[in-house]
Amino acid sequence: MSAVSEVALAPQEPAYDVERVRAEFPILAEKVHGKPLVYLDNAATTQKPRAVIDALRGYYEHTNANIHRGVHVLSQRATEAYEGTRERVRRFLNAASAREIVFTRGTTEAINLVAQSYGRSRLKAGDEILISALEHHSNIVPWQLLCEQVGAVLRVVPIGDAGELLFEDYEKVLGPRTRLVALAHVSNALGTVLPVRRAIELAHAHGVPVLLDGAQAAAHQPVDVRALECDFYAFSGHKIYGPTGIGVLYGRRGLLEAMPPYQGGGDMIRTVTFEKSTWADIPHKFEAGTPNIAGTIGLGAALEFVERIGLEAIAAHEAGLLEYASGRAAEVPGLRIVGTAPEKAGILSFVLEGIHPHDIGTILDTQGVAVRAGHHCAMPVMQRFHVPATARASFALYNTRAEVDALIAAIDKAKELFG
Ligand code: 7TS
């Protein structure tokens, strides 16, 4: 067969089949207050596909054992599955080596690890850590703790009225005392996608390493740590259709090797005597104690699931939803969208004139629509926009335009009730 006819006979790339995707998530069939569940709180956590639920069940039914220590079959199976997931994460992030992948409890623990290991061993009084004004608390507070411990200074790059990073200010704040830059890849409160590639380039020109908080990015766009050239990248399993209690820290090999352990205990040592202990190689040096083995295997299943659908396709689907939702929301009198940066991920934060966001959240719930209402663990963002809180709809690969319509109908209902 000639190459030409092969192309001609190749099946059409199937369009994104959201109903098929939805069928993989048992929870989406739930009713809430007698109404079909419309789950739009995906930035808080995502629902789990059958593949992940089955992987967890399969692990406990056929594999369960501790890893890295048993000579018996189950322990070998568990170790293979655990380390196999590390390799899968490496591929997912396009890291150079599986040794650069550290399993943590989540994004929060990954950032604390970098602050306490890298930061505490390298930063001194007067050194500066640079973050942005749109960070989640977990990319603020660990640095504040570090600053208290070593006398370093936290510098904050402001954001504009659309929720965009003010890059000129970033260039100004980045200075001779900057020792580390820590930025969200995507803002959880506003949806802003930060210009991280440019930010990294500039930081590196100053010899400053960069940590990216990828909690809101990893499930919604392809992430390539080598193309980004970031030094650390953190994300959470539960926001990418995997279990809670498992997350990832990617760190450049040279940096991780030079860093002291974060926690001490079993599995992270090479030798122990009462006088002195020595450490295992990376990444085990950073994985003290029995890890979340089941969660890791569940994360592996989640990444496989996401890769099967494809992050490009997911990103396109969610961009379509955001565009549709933003258009519909703009038509609602009294509704103000908070976060209108030109580069946005599928997050729609809003306030309604005369109705507190918590009341919006409660009324939406009565209609089966789950959103988050509050400060989204980003209090400085609320202060920046002079709101106590926002209501936030956040989209995932299984959401539909009909669900956006349900959201808008529920908002109309809230307005009706509050007159
Ligand atoms: N960074 C960002 C940008 C986040 O959105 C979150 C969680 C975290 C870090 C922390 O992740 P964890 O898995 O370690 O808790 N964000 C949210 C949210 O927006 N609503 O609930 C949790």
Side-chain angles (χ1 to χ4, degrees):
M1 199 191 286
S2 77
V4 172
S5 61
E6 258 177 58
V7 170
L9 290 173
Q12 280 270 305
E13 186 75 8
Y16 191 87
D17 187 347
V18 72
E19 288 309 324
R20 235 175 89 190
V21 172
R22 289 179 70 79
E24 306 217 32
F25 289 81
I27 207 169
L28 296 180
E30 283 292 298
K31 292 245 159 88
V32 170
H33 303 299
K35 307 241 164 46
L37 169 68
V38 175
Y39 187 77
L40 299 176
D41 195 15
N42 296 289
T45 199
T46 53
Q47 300 301 346
K48 316 307 169 199
R50 206 166 263 119
V52 169
I53 299 166
D54 289 349
L56 291 172
R57 169 190 280 269
Y59 168 74
Y60 282 121
E61 286 185 350
H62 302 290
T63 307
N64 178 55
N66 213 327
I67 53 167
H68 296 151
R69 49 198 98 195
V71 292
H72 58 80
V73 167
L74 291 188
S75 178
Q76 286 165 8
R77 266 189 214 161
T79 304
E80 266 168 39
Y82 181 82
E83 293 300 335
T85 300
R86 200 188 305 278
E87 171 56 22
R88 183 173 281 286
V89 175
R90 182 205 67 74
R91 255 185 293 143
F92 181 75
L93 294 176
N94 193 31
S97 162
R99 290 189 176 278
E100 298 178 315
I101 305 302
V102 178
F103 289 120
T104 65
R105 269 197 307 126
T107 305
T108 301
E109 190 180 51
I111 297 174
N112 277 279
L113 189 164
V114 175
Q116 288 303 310
S117 170
Y118 180 86
R120 210 162 172 182
S121 63
R122 300 241 189 158
L123 270 66
K124 296 184 294 295
D127 286 347
E128 294 177 0
I129 302 155
L130 187 159
I131 62 170
S132 86
L134 53 62
E135 302 304 322
H136 185 277
H137 295 164
S138 66
N139 199 28
I140 302 173
V141 183
W143 307 118
Q144 290 175 326
L145 292 171
L146 173 64
C147 285
E148 275 178 26
Q149 289 159 345
V150 303
V153 179
L154 191 64
R155 301 288 307 271
V156 182
V157 180
I159 53 174
D161 290 339
E164 79 284 16
L165 183 79
L166 296 175
F167 206 83
E168 285 180 6
D169 291 86
Y170 174 73
E171 288 180 307
K172 280 186 213 137
V173 178
L174 191 68
R177 310 222 66 166
T178 313
R179 295 289 174 267
L180 187 72
V181 168
L183 292 175
H185 193 172
V186 172
S187 153
N188 71 312
L190 302 167
T192 312
V193 180
L194 280 80
V196 289
R197 185 67 206 97
R198 277 173 72 205
I200 290 166
E201 221 169 327
L202 195 67
H204 284 179
H206 285 73
V208 178
V210 179
L211 174 144
L212 293 182
D213 169 355
Q216 297 297 343
H220 307 287
Q221 61 177 84
V223 173
D224 180 331
V225 290
R226 275 190 283 178
L228 286 168
E229 293 190 32
C230 60
D231 301 280
F232 297 106
Y233 197 95
F235 72 92
S236 297
H238 71 98
K239 293 189 201 284
I240 186 163
Y241 313 104
T244 50
I246 184 68
V248 169
L249 172 69
Y250 157 81
R252 245 185 231 277
R253 186 171 184 156
L255 289 173
L256 290 181
E257 280 174 344
M259 283 158 58
Y262 170 52
Q263 294 178 331
D267 232 24
M268 54 73 72
I269 51 86
R270 186 183 306 281
T271 60
V272 174
T273 67
F274 287 121
E275 289 70 38
K276 185 173 172 52
S277 299
T278 59
W279 318 134
D281 290 335
I282 62 164
H284 307 293
K285 179 169 75 175
F286 297 109
E287 294 179 2
T290 300
N292 185 351
I293 305 165
T296 304
I297 289 160
L299 172 64
L303 296 186
E304 187 177 353
F305 171 80
V306 162
E307 282 170 339
R308 188 151 49 77
I309 296 169
L311 273 156
E312 303 277 1
I314 294 167
H317 173 71
E318 292 174 2
L321 284 174
L322 178 70
E323 191 185 344
Y324 180 65
S326 303
R328 292 236 39 206
E331 289 165 9
V332 177
L335 186 151
R336 178 162 68 92
I337 297 173
V338 180
T340 50
E343 290 284 322
K344 266 189 75 171
I347 287 173
L348 188 75
S349 248
F350 61 93
V351 289
L352 273 177
E353 214 173 272
I355 316 180
H356 194 280
H358 286 122
D359 293 327
I360 301 172
T362 305
I363 296 165
L364 263 50
D365 180 60
T366 65
Q367 305 303 302
V369 179
V371 297
R372 182 160 175 201
H375 53 62
H376 316 296
C377 299
M379 282 187 183
V381 174
M382 302 299 113
Q383 290 149 16
R384 167 67 180 76
F385 287 91
H386 310 291
V387 292
T390 71
R392 180 189 69 185
S394 50
F395 303 112
L397 48 70
Y398 38 64
N399 290 126
T400 65
R401 289 186 180 217
E403 290 183 309
V404 172
D405 292 338
L407 166 71
I408 299 294
I411 291 171
D412 286 341
K413 179 100 181 170
K415 289 185 56 170
E416 210 177 284
L417 286 171
F418 276 77

